[in-house]
């Protein structure tokens, strides 16, 4: 009885297997035929995965191991197919230097289709050429030194309240979830100048989470798809921000907000932003200050847990520089100059961003066929440059697996060209405008944590790290905080 059953199963499955195999072979062949016939150079090595979805699911499941394994197999330039597009992945300063310096010539902006639609056609991320250059000048005022100084009281207040809540909790805190709430509250506070009610803020946070969760999704606009959910969240956020924008346009606030600075900056540049542009700018600015900064905040807590000697040295440095609680009086005596002048703290933050950059790389699109690493990159293909892999293989960083803030001391970095070997905020004409705001938030959080709290890992082992879409612990990082004013004996 078993043999006839096996024969029947084989009769049914064999044609299906042959058909699937043929489809996969034709899919791979299709992309090999996409090579530019005017170039003798071959396409980079690599696989285009399965029909339609390519290697998207492998990428989502494997995280950083996906790129690491393929880099080990194929080298620093390889091809794949992610999120509906053919893609060339690139690692190493020598390749990144060329890509980032020759934007608008060899490559242009190329976010995945889902991100393009959700962020909007007028967003900074989706602009290029002269339009992008002009928008950066407008947006730059939002992150100027004077603007950051004006945000300090709000950032400090939100961070202090959050850390106080973490310390008051009887149960372990999930650091990544709480860090997202923290950075979201900061983004809303500096954009609007104040926070809405807790109920309204919670609802807004839920919608924003839906947008960010589906920003990188297969562009299938069907009921229930991540792409459709992302578009719906975008529309709800645009609806919410319309009234604050109208109010800001009709009034002259007594104190600066990021939204107010943006409106004024656009007027100074001679181009009044439309309501649609301002709504898309609000969402984009929130996104820029949210997920990646929350990832870095979580990594900061993780690394200080793993490296108690670094925390002890940081506490000593803060005490030496008069940033210990008993050395300060009043609520808002922490100024921008106090924070930016701390060299060891600066090294701690830079090392967190070196070892665990929040995003793995940046997207571009080939504007023309060009050579890279001995291979051709065909016109129209996506190009993704690696950040973490480049940090891990950069020759200026000895023992890259070790967390060592002192590697960024001035005497250690003297004579080293880190421009394209260290780039947690990207590089070239699209280097992240909000990098100083992100570092400021991280530094204020580090100061609050180090000076007023104690924390311990609430699980037996450190969690596995997920790398897609941003770096975060698999369990969110469970930590038990307690209010413990540190003193000299804690060093």
């Amino acid at each position: 009885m078993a043999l006839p059953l096996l024969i029947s199963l084989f009769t049914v499955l064999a044609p299906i297997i042959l058909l699937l195999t043929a489809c996969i072979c034709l899919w791979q062949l299709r992309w090999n035929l996409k090579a530019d016939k005017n170039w003798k150079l071959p396409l980079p090595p690599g696989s285009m995965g399965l029909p339609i979805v390519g290697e998207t699911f492998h990428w989502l499941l494997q995280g950083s191991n996906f790129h690491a394994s393929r880099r080990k197999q194929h080298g620093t330039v390889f091809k794949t197919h992610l999120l509906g597009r053919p893609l060339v992945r690139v690692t190493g300063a020598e390749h990144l230097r060329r890509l980032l310096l020759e934007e608008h010539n060899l490559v242009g902006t190329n976010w995945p289709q889902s991100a393009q639609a959700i962020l909007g056609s007028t967003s900074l991320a989706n602009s290029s050429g002269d339009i992008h250059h002009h928008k950066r000048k407008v947006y730059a005022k939002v992150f100027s030194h004077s603007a950051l100084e004006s945000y300090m009281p709000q950032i400090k207040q939100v961070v202090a309240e959050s850390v106080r809540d973490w310390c008051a909790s009887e149960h372990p805190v999930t650091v990544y979830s709480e860090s997202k709430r923290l950075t979201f509250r900061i983004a809303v506070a500096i954009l609007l100048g104040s926070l809405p009610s807790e109920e309204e803020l919670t609802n807004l946070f839920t919608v924003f989470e839906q947008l960010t969760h589906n920003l990188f999704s297969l562009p299938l606009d069907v009921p229930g798809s991540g792409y459709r959910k992302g578009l719906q969240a975008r529309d709800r956020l645009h609806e919410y921000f319309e009234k604050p924008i109208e109010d800001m346009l009709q009034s002259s606030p007594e104190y600066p907000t990021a939204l107010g600075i943006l409106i004024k900056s656009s007027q100074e540049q001679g181009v009044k932003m439309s309501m649609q542009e301002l709504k898309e700018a609000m969402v984009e600015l929130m996104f820029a200050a949210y997920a990646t900064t929350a990832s870095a905040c979580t990594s900061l807590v993780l690394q200080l847990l793993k490296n108690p000697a670094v925390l002890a040295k940081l506490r000593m440095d803060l005490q030496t520089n008069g940033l210990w609680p008993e050395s300060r009086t009043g609520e808002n005596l922490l100024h921008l100059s106090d924070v930016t002048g701390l060299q060891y703290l600066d090294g701690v933050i830079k090392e967190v961003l070196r070892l665990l950059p929040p995003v793995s790389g940046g997207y571009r699109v080939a504007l023309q066929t060009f050579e890279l690493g001995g291979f051709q990159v065909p016109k129209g293909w996506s190009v993704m440059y690696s950040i973490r892999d480049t940090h891990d293989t950069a020759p200026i960083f000895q023992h890259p697996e070790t967390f060592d803030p002192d590697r960024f001391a001035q005497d250690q970095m003297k004579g080293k060209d880190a421009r394209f070997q260290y780039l947690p905020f990207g590089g070239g004409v699209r280097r992240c405008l909000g990098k100083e705001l992100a570092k400021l938030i991280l530094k204020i959080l580090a100061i609050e944590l180090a000076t007023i709290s104690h924390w311990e890992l609430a699980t037996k082992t450190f969690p596995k790290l997920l790398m897609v879409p941003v770096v975060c612990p698999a369990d969110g990082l469970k930590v038990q905080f307690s209010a413990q004013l540190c003193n000299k004996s804690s060093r």
Side-chain angles (χ1 to χ4, degrees):
M1 292 294 291
L3 183 60
L5 180 59
L6 289 174
I7 294 174
S8 299
L9 285 173
F10 179 78
T11 303
V12 173
L13 293 177
I16 297 175
I17 294 172
L18 288 174
L19 178 61
L20 290 175
T21 303
C23 288
I24 293 173
C25 290
L26 289 172
W27 172 256
Q28 300 287 340
L29 178 62
R30 174 197 175 191
W31 292 111
N32 287 331
L33 294 175
K34 291 287 184 178
D36 192 325
K37 302 302 185 296
N38 296 319
W39 285 65
K40 294 182 180 180
L41 293 174
L43 290 172
S47 171
M48 305 306 278
L50 299 172
I52 310 300
V53 298
E55 294 192 297
T56 299
F57 296 129
H58 293 83
W59 172 57
L60 292 173
L61 291 172
Q62 295 178 19
S64 63
N65 290 333
F66 173 86
H67 298 296
S69 64
R70 282 151 182 79
R71 175 166 53 86
K72 184 177 181 180
Q73 181 180 358
H74 303 301
T76 57
V77 181
F78 64 85
K79 71 176 184 290
T80 181
H81 193 281
L82 300 178
L83 299 173
R85 294 184 62 88
L87 180 143
V88 174
R89 172 86 174 196
V90 179
T91 297
E94 70 279 11
H95 298 321
L96 270 60
R97 182 185 301 273
R98 188 171 181 214
L99 287 175
L100 296 174
L101 290 183
E102 294 198 50
E103 179 150 347
H104 307 320
N105 177 26
L106 293 183
V107 295
T109 181
N110 181 231
W111 284 70
Q113 185 178 336
S114 57
Q116 291 183 40
I118 292 171
L119 291 178
S121 60
T122 71
S123 64
L124 181 65
N126 288 327
S127 62
S128 60
D130 291 339
I131 295 175
H132 176 260
H133 178 71
H134 173 75
K135 282 184 176 292
R136 278 187 72 91
K137 290 179 66 176
V138 172
Y139 279 60
K141 288 289 185 70
V142 177
F143 304 105
S144 65
H145 185 277
S146 59
L148 294 179
E149 186 74 71
S150 71
Y151 305 151
M152 281 285 293
Q154 292 162 321
I155 297 174
K156 182 180 180 299
Q157 180 179 348
V158 172
V159 171
E161 289 175 352
S162 296
V163 172
R164 197 157 53 238
D165 289 343
W166 299 354
C167 292
S169 175
E170 296 181 0
H171 305 288
V173 167
T174 304
V175 177
Y176 182 53
S177 297
E178 290 303 315
S179 293
K180 288 193 290 183
R181 294 182 186 278
L182 166 65
T183 55
F184 177 78
R185 293 172 75 92
I186 290 174
V188 174
I190 65 176
L191 278 168
L192 302 181
S194 61
L195 291 173
S197 67
E198 281 300 319
E199 181 180 358
E200 193 173 0
L201 196 63
T202 299
N203 292 335
L204 194 63
F205 177 74
T206 301
V207 175
F208 194 74
E209 276 267 84
Q210 182 176 318
L211 180 143
T212 57
H213 182 71
N214 295 293
L215 190 66
F216 300 103
S217 54
L218 286 172
L220 301 175
D221 191 6
V222 297
S225 69
Y227 183 63
R228 173 71 64 85
K229 292 176 181 177
L231 294 175
Q232 291 171 341
R234 175 204 64 188
D235 293 342
R236 290 176 64 185
L237 289 170
H238 284 186
E239 182 181 358
Y240 176 84
F241 286 128
E242 189 164 340
K243 187 178 186 305
I245 293 172
E246 288 178 344
D247 292 342
M248 189 69 69
L249 288 170
Q250 294 172 7
S251 64
S252 298
E254 297 179 1
Y255 52 90
T257 65
L259 174 58
I261 294 172
L262 181 65
I263 292 173
K264 184 178 180 181
S265 179
S266 68
Q267 294 170 345
E268 291 174 347
Q269 295 296 325
V271 179
K272 184 178 179 181
M273 295 178 72
S274 67
M275 174 61 73
Q276 183 65 22
E277 287 179 304
L278 287 169
K279 287 190 291 189
E280 291 184 358
M282 292 283 280
V283 172
E284 186 173 26
L285 287 170
M286 288 182 66
F287 173 71
Y290 169 69
T292 53
T293 309
S295 168
C297 288
T298 308
S299 296
L300 170 66
V301 175
L302 176 66
Q303 292 305 323
L304 292 179
L305 270 172
K306 286 185 172 182
N307 299 276
V310 171
L311 177 58
K313 187 172 181 178
L314 175 60
R315 284 173 167 161
M316 182 183 298
D317 192 58
L318 293 174
Q319 196 164 34
T320 301
N321 284 277
L323 291 181
W324 217 242
E326 63 264 26
S327 302
R328 292 183 278 139
T329 59
E331 281 295 315
N332 294 311
L333 289 185
L334 190 64
H335 299 290
L336 188 60
S337 58
D338 298 327
V339 178
T340 55
L342 298 170
Q343 292 188 10
Y344 189 71
L345 175 59
D346 187 63
V348 169
I349 301 307
K350 285 180 177 177
E351 183 69 343
V352 167
L353 296 172
R354 181 198 67 82
L355 193 63
L356 294 172
V359 294
S360 60
Y363 282 95
R364 298 293 187 268
V365 63
L367 300 177
Q368 58 176 295
T369 301
F370 63 94
E371 179 273 337
L372 197 67
F375 304 102
Q376 66 160 285
V377 179
K379 178 180 179 180
W381 281 40
S382 295
V383 182
M384 186 178 186
Y385 66 86
S386 164
I387 292 176
R388 187 177 183 218
D389 288 356
T390 297
H391 288 179
D392 288 347
T393 58
I396 65 168
F397 298 130
Q398 300 299 312
H399 308 293
E401 72 285 352
T402 302
F403 187 81
D404 179 18
D406 286 320
R407 74 170 78 243
F408 286 99
Q410 291 181 357
D411 60 332
Q412 294 295 316
M413 293 301 293
K414 187 176 181 180
K416 295 180 179 179
D417 181 10
R419 189 177 177 190
F420 294 99
Q421 300 186 68
Y422 178 73
L423 61 169
F425 297 102
V429 299
R430 291 187 181 274
R431 189 179 185 189
C432 177
L433 274 172
K435 61 186 179 65
E436 296 303 328
L437 173 61
K439 289 193 291 185
L440 179 60
I441 293 171
L442 287 166
K443 289 177 180 180
I444 292 176
L445 176 61
I447 291 172
E448 290 294 323
L449 286 172
T451 57
I452 69 169
S453 65
H454 173 76
W455 62 101
E456 297 178 347
L457 187 68
T459 53
K460 292 183 178 179
T461 59
F462 286 103
K464 175 184 177 182
L465 290 177
L466 305 177
M467 301 296 171
V468 178
V470 296
V471 173
C472 65
D475 68 350
L477 188 61
K478 309 290 186 182
V479 173
Q480 183 67 61
F481 289 88
S482 61
Q484 179 175 312
L485 189 63
C486 301
N487 50 44
K488 293 181 180 180
S489 64
S490 68
R491 286 183 281 165

